[in-house]
Amino acid sequence: MFSLVAIHKSYGPVRAVGPVDLEIAKARTTVLLGPSGCGKSTLLRLMTGLTSPDSGEVRFEGVRVQPDRWPSLRRHLGYVIQEGGLFPHLTAWSNVTLMARHLGWSGPDVDRRVEELGQLTRLDRPTLLRYPAELSGGQRQRVSLMRALMLDPAVLLLDEPLGALDPMTRFDLQTDLAQIFRSLGKTVVLVTHDLSEAGFLGDLIVLMKEGRVVQTGTLEQFVHHPAEPFVRKFINAQRSPLEAVAPVA
Ligand code: ADP
Ligand code: MG
């Protein structure tokens, strides 16, 4: 779906990404995983055209995306930014339907789509009439997801969509997201720094370090065939809660 070819991106003296070559498979969930600052968000933004590479190419369905093509291509991308990015002065419903109304959708078409997505994300109508500040963190992320799906995009790009949630809310949303991804069969690229989330949601995991891809594969491959010592170190850094419990004598 997307190919990143020999991509470099620096901010002044800081190399955010590069060199990176990466294929994003159609109808699969690819997870970009790695510690904070390793370039995950930059890589995702390169796939939205909101950031342009210093060198290298972004290809969509095999064709290099020229700068003037991004605005029309972006209609086919659903993007959830790291903080959700809902407009605080608009209700959830207005946030979700903003683009569709701008594009001239009819009232019944808008209502039908909201109804469909409300069922998918488990948000009812009264909840959608609230403002973002009146919603829980989990509800806000469900609204962000609805907004990203409203125009039925070909690709869904999610930047740490569950990053700010408490563990139980996060667990519930992970379960729902897995179900949603399965039922929609869309191309999904999801950013996280959480190993178990990556393993749970990803068909393919791309582990990054300092702007580069260290290993691409499944959690199992990372555990049994780590490409370099960093992979093992990253896995071992995720502490199991059971470690804190004294073993039974
Ligand atoms: P991640 O999402 O993995 O935490 P980012 O892609 O946000 O990492 O950032 C990668 C590196 O690029 C970091 O060192 C970050 O400080 C830097 N960076 C990202 N965006 C900018 C920017 N707009 N201006 C300057 N530096 C940036
Ligand atoms: Mg980030």
Side-chain angles (χ1 to χ4, degrees), residues 45-113:
R45 286 175 60 85
L46 286 159
M47 290 181 227
T48 64
L50 296 171
T51 295
S52 359
D54 298 331
S55 61
E57 291 182 10
V58 179
R59 295 183 193 151
F60 184 73
E61 299 195 309
V63 182
R64 179 178 189 167
V65 186
Q66 301 294 350
D68 62 341
R69 216 184 131 220
W70 276 114
S72 62
L73 182 56
R74 231 172 263 139
R75 296 244 168 111
H76 304 285
L77 307 175
Y79 179 37
V80 176
I81 65 167
Q82 207 159 338
E83 306 77 21
L86 295 175
F87 294 115
H89 60 294
L90 297 179
T91 63
W93 187 89
S94 298
N95 265 286
V96 169
T97 58
L98 189 62
M99 255 327 259
R101 287 180 291 126
H102 173 72
L103 293 173
W105 284 32
S106 74
D109 281 352
V110 169
D111 285 341
R112 205 172 307 127
R113 184 69 180 150

Side-chain angles (χ1 to χ4, degrees), residues 120-181:
L120 193 71
T121 56
R122 302 204 279 138
L123 284 170
D124 56 22
R125 197 142 184 107
T127 308
L128 288 172
L129 296 179
R130 296 198 216 144
Y131 288 89
E134 299 165 346
L135 298 169
S136 71
Q139 287 170 332
R140 269 200 293 275
Q141 291 310 80
R142 289 176 194 272
V143 173
S144 301
L145 185 64
M146 274 182 83
R147 184 173 66 173
L149 287 170
M150 185 69 191
L151 302 182
D152 197 18
V155 185
L156 193 55
L157 305 166
L158 307 165
D159 197 347
E160 309 224 24
L162 314 179
L165 304 176
D166 66 87
M168 288 181 76
T169 306
R170 188 171 181 139
F171 184 89
D172 288 344
L173 250 171
Q174 280 170 345
T175 312
D176 286 355
L177 274 185
Q179 160 66 23
I180 289 169
F181 295 166

Side-chain angles (χ1 to χ4, degrees), residues 36-37 39-42 82 159-160 191:
S36 183
K40 306 180 295 295
S41 295
T42 303
Q82 207 159 338
D159 197 347
E160 309 224 24
V191 167

